[in-house]
Amino acid sequence: NFFFNYKYTKYIYYIYINEYILISIWEALLIDAKENKHTLIPQSMYNKAAFMAEITLSNPNCRFWVDRKQNIQKQLKWIDKRTGLPVIGYIDFEVDLAGHITIIDVKSSKADSPEEFSKDAYKLGYNFQVGSYLHGYHKMKYQFPEFKFMVISNVFPYDSFMVHVPADLANDAKEEFDNILTAFRYCIDNNKFHMGADFWLFDTKEYHSLEKPRYVKNKFVNSDNKNN
């Protein structure tokens, strides 16, 4: 990330003196940022990010992987032979432990526990991301790495933790990504980009069905049917 440049901090005070001076300086900052491909963020956001980084590095489980990071922002680029679609992605970093590769994806999250993050991961489509990266390693290098999330909570008490993606969920994610490529190919071939949710009916069903999320569990169970 490109953080707010300290040399510009003093200009913030011009807002109380002359709004035209502030506007001209702000326009100059935007031009400079665009030319240098930088992103401007407020000082408060920088301070929060620095604090979260400190918390993460103080966690031995997270620090273990950070200290061994390799291939930061490694590009994955391939052509899916089945659909003919080009695919591109960038991993945060990987760790190679004696030939055993693990993909690490860093997430800032409101989740304050691994259980809460697991729920959010499916809501936000992180399983598709897992599937795409694992798909890429398979197609590009015939490698089958493990996948872990490094989660940094951005709300109090600002915890950090590692979340491992087990093999069965990783395989489900790869299969789901294959299905996404199939759906996208179908969308291209049949010019379906104008459609909304009904696209997912694939012209084979007349209605959508209510689906029970994986994390939802019944609160009351009939004891008579418990062992049936």
Side-chain angles (χ1 to χ4, degrees), residues 221-228:
V221 179
N222 189 330
S223 59
D224 295 333
N225 298 327
K226 209 170 188 181
N227 298 318
N228 290 342

Side-chain angles (χ1 to χ4, degrees), residues 117-128:
F117 177 78
S118 295
K119 296 178 183 179
D120 291 345
Y122 280 90
K123 290 179 181 179
L124 298 173
Y126 293 162
N127 55 318
F128 301 146

